[in-house]
Amino acid sequence: MADATYTPPAVWSAETVSGGRFANINRPTAGAREDKELPVGEQPFQLYSLATPNGVKATIMLEELIEAGHTGAEYDAWTVNIGDGEQFTSGFVGVNPNSKIPALLDRSNPDAPFRVFESGAILVHLAERFEMFLPADPAARAEVLSWVFWQVASGPFIGGGFGHFYAYAPEKYEYPINRYAMETKRIFDVADQRLGESRFLAGDEYTLADIANFPWLAPFTTGTIYNDANTFLSIDDYKNVARWVKEIAARPAVQRGRIVNKVWGDEDTQLKERHSAADFDGKRLD
C-alpha cells in the first residue's frame, strides 16, 4: 500500500509506476508503438472503436442516421481493444494522434478521404454532413451544442475521475473518491433538473445532445458501470434522468448502436465488427 500522504518530487519521473487496471498501457508519451495498418472495408465510413461510452456515441449516431434513411451513412466498425494497446498502432495513430477511441475515416469521397477524431467532433461532423440532430436555427443549435460540449467537458470527471479512483485504482483513497463522487452527482443533478423542464436535454426534440450524453448517464441508472456505482451514488434519486434513459433506450438505433464493437457480456449481445445491417441478425437488442 502507498502512504496515505504523498509529497510530489520537484520533477516527476517517467519511471513512476501508476498501477491500476490500465498500468500496462499508460505512458507519458504519444505516438505509435507498433507498425500496423488498419483494416478498411467497403462502406463510406470506417469507424475504429470500442463500446465504451465514448465509442457508443459514434455508433448510436451512425445507426440513427441509417434508421432515418441515410444510406450514405453506412459504415464498417472495427474493434480497437484499448486494453491490449491496439490504439497505439501506426494505423490508428494516423487516424487519431491522441490514441483514443472512437476515430473515424470519412471515405464518402474515396479520392479524398479524411480523418475525424474525438467523439464530439465525430458527432458534429456527421450531424452537419447529413443535416440531422443539429438544428439550423442559431438559438436551437447553440442549445444543442452547449449540451454536447457540456458532456465532452464532464466526461473526464466521470470516467477518468470517479470511475478510475472508485473502480480501477489499485488503492482506495477517500479524498479523490469523495472529490469525483461529488462532481459526478452534481453532473447528474444538472441533467436531472434540466430534464425536469424538458423532454430531452436541448428541448422537445431528440438531438445530438441526447446522443452525446446518453451513453455516459444510462449505465449508471442500470448499474452496469463502475461496479456498484449506482448504489454508491444513489443514482435512483435522479428520476428525470431515469425517465429520459428509458425513452432513449427503447429506440431501435440506440439498441443497435450499444452493441457494436462490444466484446464483453453474453455472446448474443456482442457485435465485434459491423459491416451491414445483416450483422445484427440473431443478436439480442435490449
Side-chain angles (χ1 to χ4, degrees):
M1 291 289 290
D3 294 336
T5 58
Y6 167 66
T7 301
V11 178
W12 184 84
S13 171
E15 300 302 316
T16 300
V17 177
S18 63
R21 181 170 173 177
F22 301 104
N24 65 317
I25 59 170
N26 288 340
R27 301 287 189 279
T29 55
R33 302 176 194 169
E34 177 187 359
D35 187 19
K36 184 178 180 181
E37 293 303 309
L38 291 173
V40 177
E42 298 179 355
Q43 303 293 4
F45 293 95
Q46 302 296 303
L47 181 70
Y48 305 96
S49 191
L50 190 68
T52 65
N54 282 334
V56 168
K57 292 183 206 175
T59 49
I60 287 177
M61 180 63 176
L62 287 160
E63 290 295 332
E64 288 282 12
L65 291 170
I66 293 167
E67 181 82 9
H70 290 286
T71 56
E74 280 290 348
Y75 68 106
D76 294 289
W78 307 92
T79 294
V80 176
N81 194 323
I82 60 176
D84 292 341
E86 293 179 357
Q87 68 273 37
F88 298 111
T89 64
S90 58
F92 190 86
V93 172
V95 181
N96 185 353
N98 194 37
S99 291
K100 303 288 184 182
I101 60 93
L104 184 72
L105 189 62
D106 185 333
R107 294 173 54 87
S108 50
N109 179 356
D111 295 328
F114 59 90
R115 70 187 185 188
V116 189
F117 60 91
E118 299 301 321
S119 59
I122 290 170
L123 294 186
V124 173
H125 171 65
L126 292 171
E128 291 180 337
R129 168 72 173 76
F130 294 99
E131 298 182 345
M132 283 203 71
F133 306 118
L134 185 58
D137 173 74
R141 178 184 174 88
E143 184 72 11
V144 170
L145 290 178
S146 294
W147 286 107
V148 170
F149 288 97
W150 173 73
Q151 187 285 310
V152 172
S154 301
F157 289 99
I158 296 175
F162 173 76
H164 176 77
F165 286 105
Y166 183 72
Y168 300 147
E171 296 99 11
K172 298 292 187 287
Y173 289 116
E174 183 178 7
Y175 175 79
I177 291 175
N178 284 346
R179 167 72 178 89
Y180 290 112
M182 183 180 300
E183 182 62 11
T184 300
K185 286 183 66 66
R186 192 190 69 81
I187 289 166
F188 266 83
D189 198 39
V190 171
D192 199 66
Q193 290 191 39
R194 172 57 179 166
L195 291 166
E197 301 169 345
S198 60
R199 180 180 175 187
F200 297 107
L201 281 169
D204 293 330
E205 299 294 327
Y206 177 73
T207 68
L208 215 58
D210 305 292
I211 294 172
N213 281 276
F214 174 83
W216 275 104
L217 302 185
F220 281 89
T221 69
T222 54
T224 54
I225 196 169
Y226 306 138
N227 301 331
D228 58 348
N230 171 278
T231 300
F232 181 73
L233 296 176
S234 302
I235 296 298
D236 291 347
D237 290 347
Y238 304 103
K239 305 298 185 184
N240 298 315
V241 172
R243 183 267 308 163
W244 170 81
V245 165
K246 183 177 180 180
E247 179 173 358
I248 295 176
R251 297 176 68 91
V254 172
Q255 294 176 355
R256 293 194 302 271
R258 295 180 86 177
I259 73 167
V260 177
N261 297 138
K262 185 168 176 274
V263 296
W264 55 84
D266 295 338
E267 186 69 26
D268 61 353
T269 68
Q270 300 178 24
L271 189 60
K272 296 176 183 178
E273 292 183 8
R274 186 270 188 209
H275 305 289
S276 74
D279 293 330
F280 293 100
D281 293 347
K283 298 296 180 181
R284 193 178 85 233
L285 302 176
D286 296 327

